[in-house]
Amino acid sequence: ANSGGEAAAQLRLLLNSLYLISEQKKPLAQIKAVYELRSVCEAGYMPALLCCKSCQKYDGGDFYFDIGAGELLCGDCAEAQGLAPNLDEGALIALRHIALVEDKKVFAFSLSPKSLEKLGRVTERYAAARLDKPLKTLDFLHSVME
């Protein structure tokens, strides 16, 4: 991988996160979720967020994000496999936004507290599953938020 470009992107993401924390312009939980997912994407672990991997449904209702596989199932396909959806519509849109938009727009979204909670639970677990060791910067970010 182009580690120079990746390192620059990671640094920019961290600096933007810290700036937003210092300015208190976005909820801490949102900054943390963006940092977790985007840094994992920058490290080369882009999840498959286009549609349900079973039936190709794109949106509508709750979805299940498979942490291990990095794939989506719609609510119906998830329930058919005995899985409870872990994303509502807002959280799914935010997940796609964080993974796919250009750098400077990555923090530019708003979410209800309920959707943000769902998003945060998924991004934290996905980051933990994808990174052998937790990012030192993530530990740092957690310490800043406490």
Side-chain angles (χ1 to χ4, degrees):
N2 170 7
S3 56
E6 183 194 312
Q10 291 275 8
L11 182 60
R12 208 162 45 239
L13 180 64
L14 178 63
L15 293 175
N16 287 340
S17 299
L18 294 173
Y19 171 75
L20 288 170
I21 290 169
S22 69
E23 293 292 304
Q24 301 183 333
K25 286 190 155 88
K26 293 276 177 195
L28 288 173
Q30 179 174 339
I31 298 167
K32 177 175 173 282
V34 170
Y35 185 80
E36 283 164 344
L37 181 60
R38 188 70 174 209
S39 60
V40 173
C41 290
E42 301 278 9
Y45 301 103
M46 175 71 75
L49 297 174
L50 191 59
C51 58
C52 172
K53 70 166 187 187
S54 292
C55 74
Q56 279 67 61
K57 180 175 164 178
Y58 175 73
D59 59 7
D62 293 348
F63 271 68
Y64 174 80
F65 179 66
D66 182 328
I67 305 289
E71 294 172 335
L72 289 172
L73 289 172
C74 72
D76 292 339
C77 291
E79 280 163 23
Q81 295 187 30
L83 300 165
N86 55 11
L87 295 171
D88 59 16
E89 211 142 2
L92 174 61
I93 291 167
L95 201 65
R96 285 180 174 139
H97 175 94
I98 295 165
L100 301 170
V101 297
E102 58 189 292
D103 272 4
K104 63 175 182 281
K105 291 188 181 148
V106 72
F107 290 99
F109 63 93
S110 298
L111 217 47
S112 73
K114 184 170 84 77
S115 296
L116 183 53
E117 192 186 332
K118 288 178 184 293
L119 175 70
R121 211 171 294 143
V122 162
T123 57
E124 182 168 310
R125 291 180 56 213
Y126 186 66
R130 283 295 171 276
L131 302 167
D132 301 329
K133 48 188 186 299
L135 291 170
K136 284 197 170 60
T137 42
L138 209 50
D139 292 339
F140 175 60
L141 218 52
H142 286 160
S143 73
V144 172
M145 289 181 185
E146 276 157 20

